[in-house]
Amino acid sequence: MTSMKKAEQKIVVLTGAGISAESGLSTFRDNNGLWENHRVEEVATPEAFDRNPDLVHGFYNRRRQALSEVKPNAAHLKLAEIEPLYQSFLLVTQNVDDLHERAGSQNLIHMHGELLKKRCVLCHQVSHQRNDLSVESICQYCHQQGTLRPHIVWFGEMPLLMNEIMLALMQCDLFVSIGTSGTVYPAAGFVEVANQSGAHTVELNLEASEQASQFKESFHGPASSVVGDYFN
Ligand code: BJW
């Protein structure tokens, strides 16, 4: 597999919060997994949103605002730079930030949604969102109040574009996982699918993830250096 030229390879890259850490965005399982004393599971569920929409809107409003203070780092830029060199290249990110787009990545799936989008629970329209959302916000399509939510995949909800992702995993020659703890499914299971498809599988992470033993190769260190080293 490693003897194949890049131009002959089909690659799937999975990224997680660790790739954006050096841009200044916190990962989920930092600080004992707490965000302002709340566990991510307490704010990232549909039940939490039903119970306390102000808390959940606040969580996403702050993270949306933080996007204007950060920029892509060397790892995001490297992935955009190498994309055209492969026969096919799919970047699947669990991240809801927009740093891959800003780095120039093209074939990109945000499997857990996007901070810069909202969705109406009534008319299901998805649209761009830069400002804060609240229970008072009004849907621009159906004109109802209190029906807008962040376009984010919460625990218990189906990640986006799973058919496209699974098809690419079943056809790829190389699967590279970057900056993810391997604790959240279905993304944590992608390495197993890629292995079963006969792909070469590589982990690039600060430390050994929960899925480390499944990868054929692992390189540990900050994404800004391990991603550059691996793809050079
Ligand atoms: C660096 C670095 C640097 C630091 N350089 N590296 C029991 C068993 C199996 C599954 C389940 C189960 N019980 C429930 C489930 C399902 C559940 C799940 O997986 N739960 C687990 C907690 C057990 N999953 C779901 O509910 C998903 N939906 C689902 O399963 O639907 C059914 C289905 C069935 C069949 C097929 C398909 C679907 C939905 C999951 C939604 C996840 N949502 C969140 C929050 C929303 C987005 C947001 O607000 O941003 O997504 S949770 C949170 O975790 C977020 C992340 O995308 C996700 C993954 O986190 P990530 O990216 O790995 O971050 P960290 O912080 O965990 O790790 C960072 C890593 O980087 C660390 O390893 C660091 O070392 C490293 N790092 N600095 C390189 N500089």
Side-chain angles (χ1 to χ4, degrees):
M1 156 47 238
T2 39
S3 60
M4 277 174 85
K5 293 193 180 89
K6 283 192 174 91
E8 296 166 354
Q9 283 178 31
K10 296 180 186 147
I11 175 172
V12 176
V13 175
L14 172 69
T15 62
I19 197 167
S20 297
E22 289 163 86
S23 293
L25 297 176
S26 337
T27 63
F28 290 91
R29 284 143 194 103
D30 277 349
N31 307 317
N32 300 320
L34 296 179
W35 175 81
E36 294 197 352
N37 293 325
H38 301 285
R39 289 170 55 240
V40 65
E41 292 80 0
E42 284 172 39
V43 278
T45 66
E47 295 76 21
F49 188 59
D50 287 344
R51 203 167 43 237
N52 192 345
D54 288 334
L55 173 81
V56 178
H57 276 310
F59 178 60
Y60 288 101
N61 287 340
R62 292 215 211 155
R63 291 175 57 205
R64 193 179 302 110
Q65 286 162 11
L67 293 182
S68 55
E69 291 152 27
V70 298
K71 53 184 197 329
N73 64 50
H76 298 102
L77 295 168
K78 189 71 189 180
L79 292 179
E81 180 195 314
I82 60 165
E83 177 170 348
L85 306 179
Y86 287 86
Q87 187 194 115
S88 87
F89 187 105
L90 175 64
L91 176 52
V92 180
T93 187
Q94 297 169 86
N95 298 343
V96 297
D97 65 53
D98 63 342
L99 294 178
H100 284 305
E101 292 84 328
R102 281 201 259 156
S105 285
Q106 300 287 322
N107 198 20
L108 169 66
I109 291 178
H110 278 277
M111 66 177 289
H112 289 166
E114 295 174 62
L115 276 174
L116 293 178
K117 288 186 179 168
K118 63 177 176 300
R119 184 166 84 240
C120 177
V121 296
L122 209 58
C123 71
H124 308 293
Q125 286 283 349
V126 175
S127 53
H128 189 262
Q129 183 68 18
R130 176 60 73 176
N131 301 324
D132 287 356
L133 277 174
S134 79
V135 289
E136 264 136 49
S137 304
I138 293 174
C139 173
Q140 71 210 74
Y141 297 99
C142 69
H143 311 293
Q144 297 299 307
Q145 189 172 45
T147 58
L148 295 173
R149 57 165 280 180
H151 187 49
I152 300 285
V153 177
W154 289 323
F155 284 109
E157 298 183 324
M158 185 62 88
L160 306 173
L161 298 169
M162 281 304 297
N163 288 345
E164 283 86 337
I165 297 170
M166 294 308 282
L167 197 63
L169 286 169
M170 288 189 288
Q171 293 174 346
C172 73
D173 307 297
L174 174 61
F175 172 71
V176 182
S177 171
I178 305 170
T180 175
S181 58
T183 50
V184 176
Y185 286 84
F190 289 174
V191 59
E192 206 178 327
V193 180
N195 278 331
Q196 280 166 7
S197 313
H200 187 64
T201 52
V202 180
E203 169 167 279
L204 308 177
N205 203 47
L206 194 58
E207 59 200 356
S209 76
E210 289 282 315
Q211 307 300 329
S213 63
Q214 304 246 24
F215 289 88
K216 293 177 181 150
E217 267 189 303
S218 295
F219 300 95
H220 297 139
S224 60
S225 55
V226 284
V227 172
D229 292 349
Y230 182 75
F231 286 107
N232 264 338

